[in-house]
Each structure stands twice: as structure tokens, then as C-alpha cells.
Amino acid sequence: MKRASILLFCLVLIRLVSNTRHFKQNLPQLNVLLMIADDLGIGDLSCYGNKNIKTPNIDMLASDGIKFNRMYSFPSDSGGMAAILTGQQPPKFGLVKSKNQSRDDFWSPAQQGALLHLGARNLGRVFSANNMNSFFNGRWGLGFQPDTIPTSNGFLSFYGTLMAHSIGCTTENNFSDSSLFWKKMAGYSPIILSLVTMIIISKYYSMIKFRTFFLLMFILLLGIVSLRTYCWVSIYNPKACILMENNVIKEQPYNEDNVSLRLIKNAVHFFKYRAKNNVPFLYIMSFLQPKFPHLRSTEFKNKTKSSYYDSILELDWSVGKILKALEKNNLKNNTLVIFVSDNAPSFTHPVTKLPLSPKHLESNTYTANKIVTKLRGEKGSSFEGGLRVPAIMRLPGTIPENAESNVVTSLMDIYPTVLDYYNFEKTVYDRAIDGKSLYPVFKDPNLSPSNSLHDQLYHFCDLGPVGAVTVGNLKVLFRKGTETDCSGSLLDNPLIFNVSSDPEELHPLPINAHMPLLYHIKASLKKYEMKANLHQIKHSQFDQTPNPFDFPCDDILDCSKTYDEDGSFDALFHE
């Protein structure tokens, strides 16, 4: 009898353990799909009130989740991406404008400057440390060298481009590294002609010997060759437009007519074949649209009134294909979907500095709570139009449907939100996080006051003092910037705006009435800069000296490679 009781007890225990294991195996698999647009304006989507184009797929995502009206970005592409992946201020990594204000920022594939070679903890490393999978698809923009690409920094795989789609990647703008060289030669021509004239006259009148004449001409020629090399390693070189798979160059330069379709095809393939292995995953889809020069595949050209809206049309179609693949493979209800833009739009040509077509100037005009709001400024500035970006998030059962929020939020908030989503235990590395978890907003989109997450949100521009600070509905501008550039000297008297009632920042508030606020901001800012060791940052990524031998090439003798493998995209348009 005693043996029978013991046997029965053992059987019951085994049954309980078996049920427990079965239960754990069938826990819902929690995933994250993060989609990042490139320079998309807050007013460019029809769910934000745009009347020029319909974006039904992104609109549907907004109706299923929450739409953010005050999501703040950063003045540079790399800064926005760094904030998303690390939850920290970009100046900590030198991902800001150059300290050398006497010249334009020079970004080259041959530079070593980047974010993740510094060992920064990022979403890819977090997933890797927790034995989960992370995948990066699309535009990277945080380094060209082998130790800076996604697969060297926690991501299981990488399929995409090393940088954003630039004017060097397209034939429509007819501007390349050669164009840059002749543009600079034209600027230096008075100096060059003067030197040549002086050298020839000196030789003609026997003021210098032939050996000296030859040496001076050689030095001048060497300078011209150096300038040509400088232009060759720039992002305007079409060979900098690279499509990669993990650490292998697949196409150089990539085909602008179908590179976007290749990325979407790869994403659909992932959700069809790789997302079902019962291992939680992070999938980042970083789009190449709609940043100038407005990449769009052949199938989307001339479909709207401008190339900009053609690009947005393809962006919306791409989002729809990915969301459909997610739902088709039964991953909708257990996947946190985040759609954001890394930066605000730019209305200025990057080379000529002339205004682009006025057809998309409504990018800074959006509708929130049935109120039409117009912002001032564009990408690169500290004004609202240069910092606010569209953001939409969906998580069935957690995020309410068809909601919108006016809470002050930042791209830095995505990182701690993902940590909370998985209930990851904070480590010593996460103490430096500047972002705040968005879960309080998920629970109450009408969270009040508007600064309930960020008591103060700092908007850094370059390695100098902070450009602006947001405190609830108030915005304090500390630096003399323009509508296209946040850099500038400190203002004698900071400008204070109420961006709720004056979103165009045209009517400064009386400074005397806000002196206590200014004292509080300056004291808190000083404390933050000391804690974050910002005073120790000496160089930005743009100050790195490019090494021509570090320019990424498929072959040391030929930086060209074609990619014709399975080039059919019919299934994307007919399924």
C-alpha cells in the first residue's frame, strides 16, 4: 500500500511537471517589429491629415494602436538611429555635427567614426545577451567598417545598405564624386591659377631653379590629387551605395530601381520562413524612403504629383506588405509594432542649398485632435519642424485602438520600452539610459501633464552647448540657429515659446516671467552634462580623417559588383 502511494505520488508529480513544461512551451512568443522611415514628415501621412496622398496601410496601423503627436527626433540621421538603438543622447557617442564649424560636415565610407564600435549597449546586443534573435534589414547608417556593421554588434543577420540613399546613388540628379571635385576646383581656381602663375613667372625670370620649379609644380599637383581622393571617398561616390548581406557585399553600386523591392522581399521571406522558430525576435526594417532624392522603384514612379509622394506611396505599400506577412503568419497579436521616422524632412537640396520643390511643404502641417497645427523649420534645426516626427505603435491587448497622445516623447524612449516589454532586468549599462518607457502612455494616452515622462528633454546639436530644451508645453532655445541649421552661438537671452499655442515659434514669451524656470533648466543641464561626461567628448564622427584604403570594396582592384540573383518581384505585387 505504501509503495502504491509513493508510485501514485510520483505519477502525479511527473504529470504536474509535464503540464508545467507544456505550459511554458506554449507561452505567447513576444516579438518586436520596428519600422523606421527616413526623413518622413509628421504631416506626410493621411492619418496625420495629409490631403495630397493616401497612406492606407500606415493609417490602418494607427487605427489599431496609438499615434504620437510630440515624438522628438534629432538633427542628424545617425543621431536618430543611435537614439533608437541605445536609448541615449547621441553626443555621448560623438554622433553630432562637426566641431569644425568652418566647413560642411564631411561623411565618408572611409571614416572609422561610428556608434557601435565603441561597445555601446544596443537593442541587438540586448537580444543576443538574452539568447533571442535580432535581425536588421535596410538602411544602417552607423558605420561602414567591419566592426561597425550590425552583425558585429549583436544582430544575427544583416541585409541592407550601409548608408541612406543619397544623391550619389541616383542618376536623376547627375551629381557624383566627380561633380563634387569640379565644384571644389571651381571654388579653389583663383588660388590655383595664382600659384601656377607665380611659379611660371618665377621660373621665366630665373628667380627659381628648374629643380625648385619642378618641386613646386609637383606639390601643387599632389594637392589636386589629394582633393580628388578626398572627393572620391565621399558619399557622393556611387560606389558608396552598397547592398550587403551580413558582411558580404552583394551589389556595388546597388540598382536604385529595385533595391527597395529587394529589402521588402527579404522581409516577407523572413516572416514566412524564419519567424516561426518559437524564439522571440526583434526585426528592424529601416526604409530608404522618402529622403531626398526620393527613392522609388520603377513600379511607383510618376504615380502622384511629385517624386516625394511617389516615394511615400512605396513606403506605405512596403509597410502594408510587411504587416500582411506578419498577420498571415499568426504573429500580429504577440508582436509590438513600432513605426517611426528617424528625422524630420528636409526642404533644401544637400549640395546647392536651394529650396526643393514646394509640393511637399505640407510635411510640417498636421492634424491632431481635429486641430490643424503648422510647425516651423526643417531637418537640422532645433525648431519643432526639425524635431517632431510621426510615430505609431500597436500591441493588441495592451495599447488602446485609435488613440493619440500629446505627451512629450523621444526616439530614445523606444529602447527602455522594449526592455519593459520583455521585463528585462536593468543592468549597469542601462543606468545611462536617457529615454523613458512608454508603458505609462500605453495605459493612459491622455497622460497629463505633457511633461510627465520627461521633466526636461534636451535637444543637442553638436559638441557645443545644448541647442534647446523642452519642458512640457514650453520650449527654450539657447542657441542662435536657423530653420535649416541648429548650430550657432549662444543667445544672450534665451527665447521661450509655448509650442502648444504657438507651434511655429514666432512669439517669444517674456523672459522675466520665466527666470525661475531658466535657473532650474541650467542647473539640471549642468548636472546632466557632468554625469554623462559630455565634457570629455572631443570629436564627432565627422571629424574622423578618412583613409582611402578603408573605403569598402568588393575587390581591392575593382569596387564594382552586380547582383542578378533571383531578380523577380512579381510575387510581391500579385499575392
Side-chain angles (χ1 to χ4, degrees), residues 381-401:
S381 76
S382 290
F383 292 109
E384 293 292 286
L387 295 175
R388 286 200 207 182
V389 295
I392 300 168
M393 301 184 189
R394 182 188 74 185
L395 181 59
T398 300
I399 298 178
E401 295 183 357

Side-chain angles (χ1 to χ4, degrees), residues 19-20 92 244 258 274-275 311 330 336 356 384:
N19 287 341
T20 301
K92 293 181 179 180
M244 293 194 70
N258 60 33
R274 301 190 65 180
S311 188
N330 300 317
L336 170 62
L356 297 174
E384 293 292 286

Side-chain angles (χ1 to χ4, degrees), residues 404-417:
E404 60 181 304
S405 174
N406 294 309
V407 176
V408 174
T409 55
S410 167
L411 292 182
M412 298 183 296
D413 300 337
I414 292 174
Y415 180 93
T417 300

Side-chain angles (χ1 to χ4, degrees), residues 57 261 264 300 313-321 572-573:
N57 297 297
L261 297 180
I264 301 307
F300 294 93
L313 187 69
E314 181 171 5
L315 170 67
D316 180 74
W317 173 84
S318 301
V319 170
K321 299 302 295 185
L572 289 176
F573 294 95

Side-chain angles (χ1 to χ4, degrees), residues 100-374:
N100 187 349
Q101 298 299 325
S102 63
R103 61 170 174 79
D104 294 334
D105 292 333
F106 181 77
W107 188 28
S108 167
Q111 285 171 312
Q112 293 287 338
L115 162 70
L116 302 181
H117 78 285
L118 299 174
R121 185 172 170 84
N122 65 87
L123 287 176
R125 294 186 188 277
V126 168
F127 272 69
S128 177
N130 286 276
N131 298 316
M132 298 190 295
N133 298 331
S134 57
F135 307 86
F136 199 101
N137 186 36
R139 169 186 56 93
W140 177 236
L142 288 174
F144 289 81
Q145 306 309 313
D147 63 336
T148 66
I149 62 177
T151 47
S152 298
N153 295 279
F155 290 92
L156 187 63
S157 71
F158 168 52
Y159 185 85
T161 64
L162 293 175
M163 68 176 189
H165 186 67
S166 74
I167 60 175
C169 302
T170 179
T171 57
E172 293 185 359
N173 289 278
N174 197 28
F175 192 90
S176 65
D177 55 303
S178 298
S179 307
L180 179 64
F181 171 70
W182 290 114
K183 181 175 182 289
K184 289 189 174 295
M185 282 291 290
Y188 294 138
S189 58
I191 299 176
I192 295 175
L193 290 175
S194 298
L195 290 174
V196 171
T197 302
M198 290 175 59
I199 294 173
I200 293 177
I201 292 176
S202 298
K203 178 65 178 69
Y204 181 80
Y205 287 100
S206 301
M207 298 174 64
I208 58 175
K209 296 180 178 180
F210 179 78
R211 181 182 301 175
T212 304
F213 171 79
F214 178 80
L215 180 61
L216 292 175
M217 293 298 291
F218 176 77
I219 292 174
L220 183 61
L221 179 62
L222 186 63
I224 295 175
V225 171
S226 298
L227 177 63
R228 182 65 185 93
T229 304
Y230 174 91
C231 296
W232 183 81
V233 299
S234 72
I235 61 173
Y236 302 115
N237 186 345
K239 301 298 177 63
C241 309
I242 301 170
L243 178 66
M244 293 194 70
E245 184 171 16
N246 297 324
N247 60 344
V248 177
I249 294 177
K250 299 293 290 186
E251 190 172 36
Q252 185 180 19
Y254 58 67
N255 184 347
E256 63 175 316
D257 289 331
N258 60 33
V259 64
S260 181
L261 297 180
R262 291 190 187 280
L263 299 178
I264 301 307
K265 186 176 181 180
N266 184 67
V268 172
H269 182 273
F270 168 81
F271 288 109
K272 186 175 181 180
Y273 296 106
R274 301 190 65 180
K276 295 182 177 181
N277 59 1
N278 295 321
V279 177
F281 64 81
L282 163 69
Y283 191 85
I284 297 180
M285 178 66 232
S286 181
F287 298 100
L288 296 171
Q289 296 99 349
K291 180 178 181 175
F292 184 81
H294 313 153
L295 175 70
R296 65 260 194 242
S297 303
T298 303
E299 292 79 0
F300 294 93
K301 291 184 177 180
N302 302 317
K303 297 296 183 181
T304 68
K305 66 180 184 180
S306 72
S307 60
Y308 185 68
Y309 287 124
D310 285 348
S311 188
I312 295 177
L313 187 69
E314 181 171 5
L315 170 67
D316 180 74
W317 173 84
S318 301
V319 170
K321 299 302 295 185
I322 294 174
L323 293 179
K324 184 177 180 181
L326 186 76
E327 185 170 1
K328 188 175 181 180
N329 291 283
N330 300 317
L331 295 167
K332 176 181 178 180
N333 292 329
N334 58 331
T335 300
L336 170 62
V337 178
I338 301 174
F339 175 85
V340 296
S341 177
D342 68 331
N343 292 108
S346 177
F347 310 134
T348 306
H349 194 283
V351 175
T352 65
K353 305 303 179 184
L354 296 175
L356 297 174
S357 171
K359 293 182 179 180
H360 62 273
L361 291 181
E362 295 182 13
S363 298
N364 281 354
T365 301
Y366 71 98
T367 302
N369 301 311
K370 300 182 179 180
I371 299 176
V372 178
T373 301
K374 185 177 181 180

